[in-house]
Amino acid sequence: MLVWTPGAHPLADILAAVLVLLTGVMSLAAGVGLLRFPDTLQRLHAGAKPQVLGVIVICIAIVLRSPSLAHPRVGLPGGGLPDAHAAHRGPHGGARRLPRRAPGPRLLVVDELADDVRAADRAADRAANRAAGHPQGKRHGRDQRR
Amino acid sequence: MTVVLLAAGAMFSFAVFAALVRIVRGPSILDRVIAADVLTATLVCWLGVWMVANRDTTLMPVLIALALFAVVGSVSTARFMVGKEED
């Protein structure tokens, strides 16, 4: 891995080296964020965003350094786009399943789902009351089970 | 250029180490999923640096397959996690 094959153009080599360093810094940022941030949501952001950028940057570097620059389509659409999609799809799927009532520090500035979660809870309460044959207004169901 | 490769390797190594620490320590399944995702993305970047250094795109299918494994693994884990950690 420590052998840097000289390329056709020295400028492309230097640019690719800068992009490689940028990818390394992005990975470093993701690692530091994973270690240091106190909240699951923050760790998710710290892991997802630098990694997507790092994968895109390294794919650009691959295109810059590929032996035949006549085939950049092998590098960029073939590698970069599916990888970037994959790298951001996983944390997205995780964030959608993030437990809303999990214990831990609440560091969200704006909880955009709070109203919807409350509405869903009220709807579940009403459904439970209707299923149990109780009139509206009496609290049965979720709150009593807790 | 060897210095660049060494520096990138050191930073990737730290990212992999941090992801492993978070996998071991992470309080919830979601933390471990995220850390595994970061681990796989770092490996993808590592393969990319190998390709950049050697001017050889042989590993591109490996890179794409690794990224696919990452997304399928983390998304399926997130799906099967439903209801396990609520309340």
Side-chain angles (χ1 to χ4, degrees), chain A residues 1 3-5 23-25 27-28 31 34-35 40 43-44 51 65-67 78 83 86 90-91 93-94 97-98 101, chain B residues 1 5 11-12 14-15 18 21-22 30-31 34 37-38 41-42 46 49 52-55 63-64 67 74 78-79 86:
Chain A
M1 158 144 192
V3 181
W4 182 280
T5 309
T23 306
V25 169
S27 286
L28 189 71
L34 271 187
L35 274 188
T40 301
R43 285 197 285 264
L44 188 140
Q51 288 294 1
R65 290 269 298 165
S66 74
D83 287 346
R97 305 293 166 192
L98 193 67
R101 301 172 189 83
Chain B
M1 291 300 182
L5 293 181
M11 289 188 274
F12 287 152
F14 179 80
V21 167
R22 185 48 73 188
L30 195 60
D31 288 305
I34 296 162
D37 217 36
V38 169
T42 309
W46 209 318
V49 169
V52 167
N54 289 340
R55 299 195 74 208
L63 193 144
I64 295 174
S74 55
R79 291 234 169 236
E86 281 201 39

Side-chain angles (χ1 to χ4, degrees), chain A residues 1-2 4 16-28 58, chain B residues 1-16 42 45-46 49-50:
Chain A
M1 158 144 192
L2 289 179
W4 182 280
V18 169
L19 292 181
V20 164
L21 275 183
L22 192 61
T23 306
V25 169
M26 290 299 158
S27 286
L28 189 71
I58 200 62
Chain B
M1 291 300 182
T2 308
V3 180
V4 170
L5 293 181
L6 271 177
M11 289 188 274
F12 287 152
S13 303
F14 179 80
V16 167
T42 309
C45 292
W46 209 318
V49 169
W50 188 90

Side-chain angles (χ1 to χ4, degrees), chain A residues 80-103:
Chain A
L81 295 184
D83 287 346
H85 179 74
H88 94 268
R89 185 60 184 86
H92 175 220
R96 288 182 48 178
R97 305 293 166 192
L98 193 67
R100 308 289 307 173
R101 301 172 189 83

